[in-house]
Amino acid sequence: EKALPSENKARLAEAKVLIEAGDVDKAEPLLRTILTAEPNHPEAGVLLAQLLAFSQPDEALALVEAAAFAGPQYLQIQEAVRTLAHLQSVTKAPETLPDDPVKTAYVQAAEAVLRRNFDAALEGFIDVIQRNRYYDDDTSRKACIALFVLLGDQHPSVRTYRRRFDMAL
């Protein structure tokens, strides 16, 4: 199976190249085609989840959970998608969070993630880390790492906030 060529292997390779190039609009249909042919394809599921993490976090979470055994190289992406799904639930029900002086900043940072305002999100999460690192089970730290993983090292927000994040820890 590993040695034989297949259409889905070629599609997956092409999708990876497109994702690296930042052309997610072309990568998404390729990954969906693979998942239509092989619904339990773990690699395609995780990569599609990565693409959908900001726009459709519920679908991304379902894909990540279905691809539980995609391989160790995808663990960071899987955890990042889980963190974003948690942030979405936080924005829907902020009253479930414990009262704390950082609560408002934390919820605003979570909302900024969903609006794709990554600078505001990272700024807010770093502020929460500095004031109460372990608020909501250390999710501000996890959220920063999730953004770094999903956006990639070359994203301007990652380049701006990575050092500040490291210093805040």
Side-chain angles (χ1 to χ4, degrees), residues 39-42 45-46 49 57-70 77-83 85-86:
N40 295 322
H41 194 290
V46 171
D58 291 335
E59 183 180 355
L61 182 62
L63 287 165
V64 160
E65 298 306 334
F69 302 106
I77 295 171
Q78 290 171 304
E79 190 55 38
V81 169
R82 287 184 188 105
T83 299
H86 174 72

Side-chain angles (χ1 to χ4, degrees), residues 1-125:
E1 190 175 293
K2 289 182 181 180
L4 294 175
S6 82
E7 285 184 39
N8 284 337
K9 282 183 186 178
R11 285 185 188 112
L12 186 63
E14 185 180 350
K16 287 178 181 180
V17 168
L18 289 168
I19 291 168
E20 284 292 319
D23 197 350
V24 296
D25 292 335
K26 290 182 181 175
E28 183 180 339
L30 286 172
L31 295 169
R32 288 193 184 278
T33 300
I34 294 168
L35 289 171
T36 300
E38 296 179 52
N40 295 322
H41 194 290
E43 246 183 311
V46 171
L47 291 174
L48 183 58
Q50 180 180 8
L51 300 182
L52 300 177
F54 297 108
S55 61
Q56 299 170 44
D58 291 335
E59 183 180 355
L61 182 62
L63 287 165
V64 160
E65 298 306 334
F69 302 106
Q73 69 272 30
Y74 296 108
L75 289 176
Q76 283 187 313
I77 295 171
Q78 290 171 304
E79 190 55 38
V81 169
R82 287 184 188 105
T83 299
L84 260 59
H86 174 72
L87 292 175
Q88 182 186 35
S89 70
V90 162
T91 62
K92 288 181 179 178
E95 67 278 358
T96 62
L97 293 169
D99 287 331
D100 190 281
V102 300
K103 180 178 179 177
T104 301
Y106 176 72
V107 172
Q108 288 173 345
E111 290 169 345
V113 170
L114 299 180
R115 289 191 316 270
R116 296 181 189 195
N117 185 346
F118 303 123
D119 287 343
L122 288 164
E123 182 85 32
F125 288 131

